[in-house]
Amino acid sequence: MVREFELCPGRRVGGDQPCFIIAEIGQNHQGDLDIAKRMIRMAKDCGADCAKFQKSELEYKFNKKALERPYTSKHSWGKTYGEHKRHLEFSRDQYRELKKYAEEIGIFFTASGMDEMAVEFLHELDVPFFKVGSGDTNNFPYLEKTAKKGRPMVISSGMQSMNTMHQVYQIVKPINPNFCFLQCTSAYPLQPEDVNLRVISAYQSAFPDIPIGYSGHETGIAISVAAVAMGAKVLERHVTLDKTWKGSDHQASLEPNELAELVKAIRTVEKAMGSPIKQLLPCEMACNEKLGKSVVAKVAIPEGAILTLGMLTVKVAEPKGFPPESIFDLVGQKVKKNIEEDETITEQVVENHVKKVKC
């Protein structure tokens, strides 16, 4: 069984635990603290386990030229990329306020630390776990420093290769065993043909001692539900209050009704996964009583006759008799009384019958 661990206080992931659902608010709050709080409340109301943001210390994430680059996109909040990012970046005090709000309404709160200084702040903020965004998954010094903080880690794998993910595993595992990988493709919105859900199975085989999850940027909920059916134990989806808002992530995000439907569908699928043991269930008894078939006499059979396959057939019958799977066992058996054509073959008419116990 896949190892499980405590991702948040009182909430374990992996093994037979329910999928942990992360509502990725990211920077879809438009730089507005009140909108951010509304989105945290929406995540809670829709049944998500965690509301997640993205924290950057911009001078540590970008070099000067990247920040000074002109940004003329329709999604821009400033003339340069730096101005754009500063508009969307909450201060440390605002993060403290958001975390407090999340705690008050009863939902876990964390953020992706988009650079090493952001991780330092989030550690100080006492988030329950670190989310490693795909852009830092091959940033090995960052990974090592983050792992040494001792908090659980959720690591996305967009833009990476299987070879890189093996290296990530080898770096993190000896330092911090409490982590999981998320299959992810870094495209917004993500087309179905680029999702590659089979990577979940590949990760489960390659890393059998850690939980595997999925971070999706597709539209709709079907693919994410399929990921959970394949065994994803952590699921992350971007969320928004309005897909038409300015910002490149909104189109690949779920609106409240979609998030609520996703959570409901995931919990239904988890119930449906059930047991690997195949057997007649109590809920099937009524159907079995009504439509379950029995072995009956295809022809009139005289007392003392030895049963042959030609004497027998299978029908829905009254009363119930031998089930269809017993028909070959009846061949060669002697009958103790006359059996009319179309009459049920019961235990009482077969000589020396010993009832077999099903395994």
Side-chain angles (χ1 to χ4, degrees):
M1 180 180 291
V2 174
R3 181 179 170 278
E4 60 180 67
F5 63 88
E6 189 175 69
L7 183 64
C8 296
R11 183 62 163 85
R12 301 179 70 80
V13 296
D16 292 327
Q17 299 296 326
C19 181
F20 186 86
I21 302 172
I22 301 171
E24 164 66 306
I25 295 168
Q27 295 191 321
N28 280 353
H29 48 68
Q30 314 299 80
D32 186 310
L33 194 67
D34 289 334
I35 291 176
K37 288 182 178 180
R38 286 170 55 197
M39 296 184 77
I40 294 172
R41 168 58 72 177
M42 179 267 284
K44 167 67 176 178
D45 291 345
C46 291
D49 295 290
C50 180
K52 191 183 83 65
F53 290 76
Q54 296 174 7
K55 181 70 180 101
S56 299
E57 299 292 347
L58 297 180
E59 285 70 25
Y60 289 89
K61 180 179 179 181
F62 302 99
N63 71 2
K64 289 182 179 179
K65 286 190 175 181
L67 291 172
E68 292 168 356
R69 173 169 56 86
Y71 193 48
T72 57
S73 167
K74 65 180 181 179
H75 300 303
S76 174
W77 293 95
K79 294 180 180 179
T80 66
Y81 199 62
E83 289 180 3
H84 167 77
K85 295 302 287 186
R86 287 186 186 94
H87 173 84
L88 293 171
E89 194 63 47
F90 287 139
S91 69
R92 292 186 172 196
D93 283 342
Q94 287 174 316
Y95 262 87
R96 293 185 183 99
E97 184 175 343
L98 290 172
K99 182 172 183 286
K100 181 181 178 182
Y101 177 74
E103 290 169 348
E104 287 173 352
I105 68 171
I107 187 171
F108 294 116
F109 175 95
T110 195
S112 299
M114 309 300 278
D115 53 79
E116 291 180 17
M117 289 305 295
V119 171
E120 292 293 336
F121 166 67
L122 293 171
H123 185 55
E124 173 194 317
L125 190 62
D126 197 26
V127 296
F129 67 93
F130 291 129
K131 169 64 197 303
V132 178
S134 295
D136 280 305
T137 297
N138 60 349
N139 183 350
F140 296 157
Y142 165 101
L143 278 180
E144 189 173 79
K145 290 177 183 178
T146 302
K148 286 180 178 177
K149 298 295 185 185
R151 298 183 187 276
M153 299 169 67
V154 174
I155 304 173
S156 279
S157 61
M159 303 178 287
Q160 310 304 330
S161 67
M162 181 62 89
N163 180 62
T164 297
M165 297 312 295
H166 276 285
Q167 293 180 75
V168 172
Y169 177 91
Q170 290 161 7
I171 289 168
V172 175
K173 186 70 174 180
I175 304 170
N176 184 349
N178 297 328
F179 69 100
C180 64
F181 287 162
L182 307 186
Q183 159 56 359
C184 176
T185 301
S186 298
Y188 306 80
L190 175 61
Q191 298 304 310
E193 58 268 25
D194 293 322
V195 172
N196 294 329
L197 285 180
R198 287 193 176 96
V199 174
I200 293 174
S201 300
Y203 282 168
Q204 289 167 336
S205 296
F207 312 109
D209 58 344
I210 64 171
I212 302 301
Y214 174 69
S215 177
H217 306 125
E218 72 277 3
T219 57
I221 69 170
I223 290 169
S224 292
V225 174
V228 174
M230 292 180 69
K233 292 300 179 180
V234 175
L235 179 79
E236 178 185 69
R237 286 297 304 271
H238 285 254
V239 298
T240 182
L241 295 178
D242 189 337
K243 290 183 183 182
T244 66
W245 279 356
K246 182 167 77 172
S248 56
D249 285 351
H250 290 287
Q251 191 178 351
S253 301
L254 300 176
E255 291 182 338
N257 63 318
E258 293 175 300
L259 178 60
E261 185 62 26
L262 174 62
V263 173
K264 180 181 177 182
I266 287 172
R267 300 310 178 209
T268 299
V269 165
E270 287 174 331
K271 290 180 183 178
M273 295 301 289
S275 168
I277 300 170
K278 184 59 182 172
Q279 58 185 331
L280 179 65
L281 297 176
C283 65
E284 297 179 294
M285 292 305 297
C287 185
N288 188 60
E289 283 298 313
K290 182 178 180 181
L291 298 176
K293 294 186 175 182
S294 300
V295 179
V296 302
K298 191 174 184 179
V299 295
I301 304 171
E303 179 183 347
I306 304 299
L307 292 174
T308 66
L309 193 60
M311 297 175 179
L312 307 173
T313 191
V314 173
K315 294 183 179 182
V316 176
E318 290 291 342
K320 294 287 185 184
F322 286 96
E325 64 265 28
S326 297
I327 192 167
F328 295 125
D329 297 329
L330 289 170
V331 172
Q333 300 294 313
K334 186 176 182 179
V335 299
K336 296 188 290 186
K337 61 181 285 293
N338 292 330
I339 303 172
E340 296 181 4
E341 179 183 344
D342 210 38
E343 184 180 341
T344 302
I345 307 295
T346 63
E347 294 179 16
Q348 290 73 27
V349 302
V350 178
E351 194 170 275
N352 299 322
H353 170 68
V354 178
K355 188 173 184 179
K356 293 186 178 181
V357 177
K358 290 186 178 181
C359 298

